[in-house]
């Protein structure tokens, strides 16, 4: 496809190259000081005490569940309106995802429906801050305390989000982030876990690296000492090269957020006058991370509108079709149309428009004109 206005463009450049060069000039390519520097900076930005950097958000979710003792025989309550990874991580841990329908105006998990989904096998709630709009973690925290459940946040869209003074991770066991190619900060593939729980952070560090009590970087500092495998673990450690790409982006995170906020404001302003298009609501008080800019159109024309926009050179995608109706989930678990009607309707109507810090406001105007034309016919 030849997009005049692509769906996403990263903004990595000279600073990232310089940061990479410094790692290449040193001896440690794998997990070492660059990773721990990133972890300290990211924990600080997120207002959490600890950060454990890993190779993906999927891995971050899987490790969080496992480190909290969640596995076979357990259920985890989550949303069907998300990327599949929120649920495949639960399956990787050996537990069962239990879906709860979403709020009509945000697409986030409907907290009022959670109590009815709790059974004696439920161990955790896994909310997703869809598009960057935070779930009401204060209310969710109340529910999790009342029923004695863990909370693991899928904050892949929500590095910069704040709600009632609360950031991801601050009222839960862990929050998990993605640095996948199109996320707000990126190293191609990467992820992180933040937590305020010291012993949990230590378990996560062991579990991300084979359950080994020493790393290659330790050998470089201390010389060779026998290491031990003290637990069964996985191979999810982020390396210095990827961490090097992330560090400079943390310095730009607020200015890039402000640019996306201006884009979102402009989209909202211009779309107000477009018949047949709804923007997705934002309850206040809240700082939206503005990861994606989704609109909703009538479900009967959505796929045609997507095609027309692409034909006009505007990069759009669908985030997401309700995951319980994807072949694997419906075949494995017997889900069918009508099980989570609000998520299904949402997933049939939503379209994500181009959104990234360096998208010119003139392009925002062109996108909205293209949407107006596509919806009208
Ligand atoms: C991107 C994404 C993930 C997965 O992130 P990876 O780093 O690719 O594993 C999980 N959940 C949501 C909501 C995402 O958008």
């Amino acid at each position: 496809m030849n997009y005049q206005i692509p769906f996403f463009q990263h903004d990595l450049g000279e600073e990232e190259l310089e940061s990479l060069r410094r790692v290449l000039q040193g001896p440690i390519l794998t997990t070492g000081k660059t990773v721990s520097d990133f972890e300290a900076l990211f924990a600080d930005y997120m207002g959490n005490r600890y950060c454990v950097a890993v190779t993906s958000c999927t891995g971050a979710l899987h490790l969080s569940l496992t480190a909290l003792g969640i596995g076979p025989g357990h259920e985890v309550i989550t949303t069907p309106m998300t990327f599949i990874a929120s649920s495949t991580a639960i399956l990787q841990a050996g537990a069962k995802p239990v879906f709860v329908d979403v709020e009509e105006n945000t697409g986030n998990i409907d907290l009022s429906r959670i109590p009815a989904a709790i059974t004696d096998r439920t161990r955790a709630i896994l909310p997703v801050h869809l598009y960057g709009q935070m779930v009401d973690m204060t209310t969710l925290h109340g529910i999790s305390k009342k029923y004695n459940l863990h909370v693991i946040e899928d904050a892949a869209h929500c590095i910069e989000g704040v709600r009632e003074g609360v950031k991801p991770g601050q009222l839960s066991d862990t929050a998990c982030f993605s640095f996948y190619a199109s996320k707000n900060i990126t190293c191609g593939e990467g992820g992180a876990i933040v937590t305020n729980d010291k012993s949990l952070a230590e378990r996560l560090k062991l579990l991300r690296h084979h359950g080994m009590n020493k790393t290659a970087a330790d050998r470089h500092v201390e010389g060779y000492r026998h290491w031990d495998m003290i637990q069964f673990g996985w191979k999810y450690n982020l390396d210095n090269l990827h961490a090097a790409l992330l560090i400079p982006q943390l310095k730009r995170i607020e200015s890039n957020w402000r640019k996306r906020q201006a884009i979102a404001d402009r989209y909202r302003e211009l779309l107000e006058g477009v018949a047949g298009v709804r923007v997705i609501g934002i309850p206040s008080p809240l700082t939206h991370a503005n990861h994606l800019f989704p609109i909703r159109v009538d479900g009967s024309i959505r796929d045609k509108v997507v095609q027309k926009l692409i034909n006009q050179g505007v990069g759009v995608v669908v985030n997401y079709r309700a995951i319980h109706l994807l072949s694997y989930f419906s075949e494995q678990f017997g889900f069918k149309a009508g099980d989570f009607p609000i998520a299904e309707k949402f997933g049939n109507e939503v379209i994500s428009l181009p959104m990234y810090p360096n998208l010119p406001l003139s392009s925002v105007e062109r996108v909205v004109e293209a949407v107006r034309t596509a919806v009208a016919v």
Side-chain angles (χ1 to χ4, degrees), residues 122-368:
T122 309
R123 292 295 179 277
I125 305 167
L126 195 156
V128 180
H129 307 303
L130 194 65
Y131 311 134
Q133 175 161 320
M134 249 181 106
V135 168
D136 175 358
M137 290 305 296
T138 309
T139 300
L140 180 53
H141 184 64
I143 298 170
S144 68
K145 282 283 146 268
K146 180 168 172 198
Y147 294 96
N148 194 24
L149 299 173
H150 291 296
V151 177
I152 295 144
E153 295 170 66
D154 180 339
H157 296 183
C158 200
I159 299 174
E160 306 89 342
V162 187
R163 185 161 179 163
E164 289 164 32
V166 176
K167 290 181 153 212
Q170 292 180 330
L171 287 183
S172 61
D173 293 277
T174 71
C176 300
F177 298 88
S178 174
F179 308 128
Y180 170 72
S182 59
K183 297 304 203 299
N184 288 357
I185 64 174
T186 179
C187 56
E189 301 284 354
I193 307 165
V194 298
T195 180
N196 279 319
D197 181 334
K198 185 170 189 213
S199 73
L200 181 57
E202 282 166 1
R203 280 205 303 287
L204 288 165
K205 281 194 175 168
L206 262 181
L207 289 175
R208 80 170 166 186
H209 192 241
H210 298 300
M212 282 167 67
N213 65 353
K214 288 202 185 297
T215 66
D218 294 336
R219 279 200 293 282
H220 184 73
V221 175
E222 303 170 0
Y224 178 81
R225 308 256 168 89
H226 288 311
W227 49 264
D228 194 10
M229 175 179 162
I230 56 180
Q231 196 165 339
F232 179 79
W234 283 265
K235 186 62 165 59
Y236 281 148
N237 53 308
L238 194 75
D239 59 89
N240 278 355
L241 289 165
H242 286 85
L245 291 171
L246 295 170
I247 289 173
Q249 295 177 69
L250 282 176
K251 298 189 202 117
R252 299 198 293 276
I253 198 163
E254 288 288 316
S255 60
N256 277 349
W257 174 82
R258 273 193 295 277
K259 289 184 188 172
R260 290 196 314 275
Q261 176 69 31
I263 290 163
D265 287 346
R266 189 72 182 128
Y267 266 135
R268 279 203 191 88
E269 198 174 35
L270 293 168
L271 285 164
E272 229 166 68
V274 182
V277 173
R278 279 207 289 162
V279 299
I280 290 169
I282 25 167
S284 55
L286 161 146
T287 300
H288 199 297
N290 293 308
H291 172 54
L292 296 171
F293 192 89
I295 57 169
R296 288 174 72 171
V297 301
D298 195 274
S300 64
I301 61 165
R302 194 270 308 274
D303 290 354
K304 283 190 216 110
V305 172
V306 166
Q307 263 324 306
K308 283 181 187 163
L309 289 170
I310 289 173
N311 292 343
Q312 291 185 69
V314 176
V316 292
V317 303
V318 171
N319 307 98
Y320 302 90
R321 294 186 299 148
I323 65 174
H324 65 283
L325 296 182
L326 298 180
S327 300
Y328 177 81
F329 284 98
S330 63
E331 282 161 20
Q332 288 289 311
F333 301 101
F335 292 122
K336 56 193 185 316
D339 284 346
F340 305 101
I342 304 171
E344 290 165 28
K345 185 164 189 293
F346 204 103
N348 288 336
E349 296 184 351
V350 77
I351 304 173
S352 298
L353 302 182
M355 173 62 124
Y356 41 94
N358 295 329
L359 178 68
L361 291 179
S362 59
S363 296
V364 172
E365 287 165 21
R366 286 171 57 199
V367 171
V368 172

